[in-house]
Structures are given as structure tokens and as C-alpha cells.
Amino acid sequence: VQLQASGGGMVQAGGSLRLSCASSSPTFSRSVMGWFRQAPGKEREFVAAISWSGYRTQYAASVKGRFTISRDNAENTVYLAMNSLKPEDTALYYCAADEETVSGQVTSALQRYDYWGQGTQVTVSS
């Protein structure tokens, strides 16, 4: 399975970006998809996750209300819309696929994700 993330860039505080992650998995529609991020010198942390159908989502407290995760199973793509960006959102953003968690559930546990993309850089200036 290959995950290709894109859409990162440099924006000013208060701006918006939309990340995309295209999957090569033939079972994408039966995978929980997540976004994680890692800032320099820090551990990788959970950002958002979405269930198979997209009905259930979960967000880190630091992004709730500003970020929205969505998916298009027909296009094998998951998205992360990021609004009201802050300098502390600066990080390398990774998409990941969890092919074990059952339908209707999501997980924020990094170790549950089986496949990872290469990351896309988001830089927010003050």
C-alpha cells in the first residue's frame, strides 16, 4: 500500500490549507484513515481520524473546531482541511491507514496504523 500526501505549504497565521492523501490500497474503503504530525524535536502526534464510511471522526483537542477530516472512497483519497492555522501547527503531516480496526470505529493510537505516507510540510508564520 502506498500513501501519497500533498497540499502542504507555507501560510500566515489565520490562513488555510487542504491536505490530500491518495491511497493505492484496493481495500481503502475498509480502512480507517488518520492524519498525524511531527514537529522538529517532538514526537509524532495524532491529529484526526475517520472511519470507513466517514460517519465517525475523531480529533486532537488542539485542532478540534479548526480542522476537518473527510474522505472520498470513490477516489481512494482522504483530506484534511485546516483553517485558522497557528504557528504551533507547523509540522510534517503524515497520512496513515489502519486496516484492522472494524467498521464504525476510529483510533488515535499511532501503533494501530499499518501504512504511512511520506509526509507533507506545513509551515505557519506569525
Side-chain angles (χ1 to χ4, degrees):
V1 174
Q2 291 188 336
L3 301 174
Q4 183 70 42
S6 61
M10 183 178 295
V11 296
Q12 290 188 333
S16 300
L17 283 173
R18 188 193 194 206
L19 306 184
S20 300
C21 175
S23 171
S24 68
S25 174
T27 59
F28 176 82
S29 63
R30 299 192 298 278
S31 301
V32 170
M33 298 300 296
W35 286 96
F36 293 77
R37 67 187 182 186
Q38 188 166 17
K42 295 188 176 181
E43 293 187 350
R44 193 170 299 188
E45 65 176 5
F46 170 76
V47 175
I50 189 166
S51 63
W52 293 10
S53 66
Y55 180 77
R56 185 180 296 269
T57 57
Q58 183 179 353
Y59 296 92
S62 59
V63 307
K64 198 168 188 178
R66 300 187 298 122
F67 290 11
T68 302
I69 189 171
S70 61
R71 67 190 297 162
D72 183 339
N73 286 344
E75 296 293 329
N76 272 28
T77 302
V78 63
Y79 303 96
L80 185 68
M82 305 184 294
N83 298 313
S84 302
L85 282 162
K86 304 175 181 180
E88 51 264 43
D89 294 318
T90 295
L92 192 59
Y93 282 71
Y94 297 90
C95 62
D98 166 11
E99 300 198 334
E100 301 295 331
T101 298
V102 299
S103 175
Q105 302 298 315
V106 292
T107 179
S108 61
L110 186 149
Q111 64 269 24
R112 293 293 300 270
Y113 287 82
D114 309 292
Y115 302 100
W116 293 82
Q118 84 289 358
T120 185
Q121 179 67 39
V122 172
T123 302
V124 184
S125 60
S126 57

